[in-house]
Amino acid sequence: MFDRNEQQSQKKPKNLSSKYTSNLVFARLVLCRCLQLLIIFLLFQSFILSYFSSNPPKHAVPIRESVEEATEPPPPPPTPPEPRCDAGRFYVYELPEVFNREILVNCGDLDPWHSRCNAVSNGGLGPRATGPGRRTDGHGSVVPENLSSAWYWTDMFAGEIIYHERMLRHECRTASPEYAAAFYIPFYAGLAVAKYLFTNYTAKDRDRQCQMLLRWVAAQPYWARSNGSDHFIMLGRMTWDFRRWKDGDWGSSFVNMPLMKNILRLSVEKDPWDQLEISVPYPTGFHPKSKSELNQWLGFVQAHKRHNLFTFVGAKRPLEGDFRTILWNHCHNESGSCRVVDCSGTRCYDGTWEILESFLDSDFCLQPRGDAHTRKSTFDCMLAGSIPVFFWRRSIKYQYEWFLGDEPDDFSVFIDRRAVRNGTSVRKVLEGYSRDKIKKMRERIIDSIPKFVYRNTSSDEFGDYRDAFDITIDGVLRMFKEQKGSMNATIGVIKS
């Protein structure tokens, strides 16, 4: 029925089908064997995991624990230093020299009785003290010999010069006023005004340079941006020397001038009721050049032996009922407990080692008010580790909080002057303090010394130590930053 070609074509598919069938059978056998092997592997793996989960190796966990116990955790990363100038930078006005440098050049005319050239020398530190000072009893020196170079006869009203010199070298100073958060006015107001305080000059004489200064500052472009509310100034004298209301009264009317109403003021004695005034420490004679010098002084003060219960440094005044005279007489009559340093005349005017020696040798030092409620002597006293005794609360209350804190009872004694006038014995009051209480008060004072001294900036060996000047400037910049934040918040509320 079929030809040859057809027969061959039918025969070939039959051969291929047979081969395909055999291959398929082989593949199924291989697949079954693979499935068997996979099942065996899975059963074996399941068995192994079950075994080790119920019977963990004895060495596995202890090794990990022993490593954790033997190796201390890594130390935390060091705390980054608090960024300097994070509250902003300040600009120092370059005033016409008549407001500062010329005043120093004409230092011989600043006082009608004495030349002030020594007082304003060395950037306000004054002349260097010679040697370590000999004790009055002839036994040794007043201060350690290797610290004598840190001592100067610094004038109590030299703060304006000290602050100006430090401001010019401060790390937060900017030469670009457009980037400044605050503006410093380096006017030597105290020196300028003092020249006219003690003789028959008129009120206009006492105000002339102050008025000239304010006219100059108000004409500057950056004054208008805040009407002076981001400006500040250092007044080297007590604020009361600048608060004259009537022409016949004492002092200048500088603080009461209209253009001063927004300017922040630093002063060695502030008006406690004026929110724009900050009291800063009177400069003492100790200006350490390094942190090690400061620490050595603190140790020296801490270990110093004291032989007197209290001391009085001052002079009688020819005034009826003068309280200083009462204290002078009381101390003189209690010579077994009290030491007197008589500063009558000009004996203490340029400094004397006997003052420091007296403070170092006494547990307490009497601090009556003088021409004002506060005194430079208070800081000289505390620098020696002696505990100040006040007779007017305003001599320390609401003053120097940035440097001494706001709890004067922690480091000082108050005896009401009226009680003393009525016969209260200062000696008996002070004898009522236990040695433990005296020790705690002294430790509190020594802790405060680094905060109220002004260091010598001829050296950079201080690290992160912040002295009285640094604390002041940090505080001022912080105040301006907070003030700006409050103003921005108020503007935001109004806009919303």
Side-chain angles (χ1 to χ4, degrees):
M1 265 175 97
F2 304 102
D3 61 18
R4 184 179 298 273
N5 291 336
E6 186 177 359
Q7 291 177 353
Q8 289 179 350
S9 63
Q10 291 177 350
K11 200 172 188 178
K12 186 175 182 179
K14 184 177 179 180
N15 293 338
L16 288 173
S17 176
S18 175
K19 186 176 181 179
Y20 173 79
T21 302
S22 64
N23 288 341
L24 181 62
V25 170
F26 177 78
R28 286 177 177 175
L29 290 174
V30 171
L31 179 61
C32 289
R33 181 58 57 88
C34 289
L35 289 172
Q36 289 175 349
L37 292 174
L38 178 62
I39 292 170
I40 292 170
F41 174 77
L42 292 175
L43 289 172
F44 179 77
Q45 186 180 46
S46 176
F47 172 77
I48 293 297
L49 292 174
S50 175
Y51 176 82
F52 279 103
S53 64
S54 60
N55 300 283
K58 293 184 179 180
H59 66 279
V61 174
I63 286 177
R64 182 178 179 185
E65 290 178 349
S66 65
V67 170
E68 289 179 349
E69 290 174 359
T71 305
E72 293 186 4
T79 302
E82 184 178 347
R84 302 284 173 85
C85 313
D86 60 334
R89 296 181 177 272
F90 61 81
Y91 179 78
V92 179
Y93 278 120
E94 187 172 346
L95 300 180
E97 293 190 351
V98 68
F99 297 119
N100 43 47
R101 297 305 179 192
E102 283 188 16
I103 294 175
L104 302 186
V105 171
N106 299 315
C107 55
D109 299 329
L110 294 178
D111 189 307
W113 301 287
H114 309 92
S115 170
R116 301 282 285 160
C117 293
N118 275 341
V120 300
S121 63
N122 286 331
L125 303 188
R128 190 186 298 275
T130 54
R134 304 303 301 173
R135 290 185 58 88
T136 54
D137 58 11
H139 298 297
S141 58
V142 177
V143 301
E145 187 145 2
N146 62 334
L147 286 181
S148 61
S149 63
W151 287 89
Y152 295 76
W153 301 129
T154 304
D155 189 84
M156 64 187 292
F157 297 137
E160 294 161 343
I161 309 169
I162 294 173
Y163 272 73
H164 187 195
E165 293 292 327
R166 293 284 297 273
M167 295 290 277
L168 293 176
R169 295 194 292 270
H170 197 277
E171 60 192 338
C172 295
R173 179 193 176 196
T174 177
S176 304
E178 62 270 21
Y179 299 120
F183 294 81
Y184 181 64
I185 306 170
F187 173 41
Y188 299 165
L191 296 177
V193 168
K195 178 178 179 179
Y196 304 99
L197 289 180
F198 301 101
T199 47
N200 295 324
Y201 286 99
T202 65
K204 288 184 178 180
D205 293 327
R206 286 174 267 159
D207 290 346
R208 184 175 296 110
Q209 275 187 285
C210 299
Q211 291 171 336
M212 290 169 55
L213 176 281
L214 289 175
R215 285 196 295 268
W216 186 92
V217 172
Q220 304 310 303
Y222 290 95
W223 171 274
R225 120 180 145 176
S226 67
N227 199 27
S229 63
D230 54 5
H231 287 52
F232 67 111
I233 190 172
M234 166 66 185
L235 303 178
R237 299 181 68 90
M238 297 79 69
T239 184
W240 317 110
D241 289 338
F242 305 97
R243 290 180 172 272
R244 192 193 74 242
W245 284 105
K246 297 182 298 183
D247 286 354
D249 292 342
W250 168 266
S252 164
S253 64
F254 188 35
V255 169
N256 293 326
M257 293 178 182
L259 290 174
M260 282 290 288
K261 66 180 181 180
N262 293 328
I263 297 178
L264 183 69
R265 301 174 293 277
L266 310 175
S267 177
V268 291
E269 181 181 333
K270 71 176 181 179
D271 178 353
W273 297 276
D274 190 332
Q275 298 301 310
L276 284 179
E277 288 193 347
I278 305 297
S279 53
V280 300
Y282 285 90
T284 68
F286 181 57
H287 305 284
K289 296 186 296 297
S290 67
K291 186 71 177 295
S292 62
E293 280 192 349
L294 174 64
N295 289 336
Q296 185 181 349
W297 177 253
L298 299 181
F300 173 73
V301 169
Q302 180 75 54
H304 200 279
K305 296 186 183 301
R306 300 174 191 267
H307 307 97
N308 307 302
L309 178 63
F310 62 112
T311 189
F312 176 62
V313 177
K316 297 180 179 181
R317 292 188 174 187
L319 302 171
E320 184 177 355
D322 175 54
F323 190 71
R324 286 193 182 194
T325 301
I326 293 174
L327 291 181
W328 197 99
N329 290 334
H330 179 76
C331 197
H332 189 269
N333 293 334
E334 299 286 358
S335 57
S337 301
C338 185
R339 177 172 177 174
V340 177
V341 178
D342 186 359
C343 286
S344 57
T346 60
R347 186 169 176 272
C348 300
Y349 188 80
D350 292 322
T352 170
W353 285 116
E354 189 179 356
I355 295 175
L356 180 61
E357 179 188 355
S358 175
F359 290 146
L360 283 168
D361 285 353
S362 304
D363 284 325
F364 299 92
C365 57
L366 308 187
Q367 296 296 325
R369 65 160 293 170
D371 294 327
H373 284 91
T374 61
R375 300 178 74 198
K376 175 181 181 290
S377 177
T378 297
F379 290 96
D380 293 334
C381 155
M382 292 192 295
L383 180 64
S386 191
I387 300 166
V389 181
F390 299 111
F391 304 90
W392 280 261
R393 291 200 181 277
R394 283 179 58 187
S395 292
I396 193 63
K397 191 71 171 176
Y398 307 119
Q399 301 282 350
Y400 318 114
E401 296 99 324
W402 288 359
F403 315 91
L404 302 177
D406 56 4
E407 296 294 338
D409 291 343
D410 291 345
F411 61 87
S412 66
V413 173
F414 174 74
I415 305 175
D416 196 299
R417 63 193 178 280
R418 290 164 291 194
V420 176
R421 289 184 183 276
N422 291 330
T424 295
S425 169
V426 173
R427 175 182 60 80
K428 289 183 178 180
V429 172
L430 299 180
E431 284 178 340
Y433 284 81
S434 67
R435 297 312 303 175
D436 183 62
K437 177 63 174 177
I438 292 173
K439 179 183 177 182
K440 289 180 179 178
M441 295 173 81
R442 178 168 295 116
E443 288 174 348
R444 174 69 173 73
I445 288 171
I446 293 175
D447 286 344
S448 298
I449 289 175
K451 300 177 184 178
F452 66 71
V453 299
Y454 294 91
R455 61 185 173 92
N456 189 326
T457 57
S458 61
S459 171
D460 293 327
E461 301 175 24
F462 285 95
D464 60 353
Y465 164 60
R466 314 292 279 170
D467 70 345
F469 172 83
D470 294 316
I471 292 171
T472 300
I473 300 307
D474 289 349
V476 167
L477 291 175
R478 187 171 59 249
M479 286 181 66
F480 282 131
K481 182 179 181 179
E482 292 172 355
Q483 172 183 289
K484 184 176 180 180
S486 298
M487 290 177 61
N488 290 340
T490 302
I491 292 173
V493 170
I494 293 174
K495 287 183 177 180
S496 62

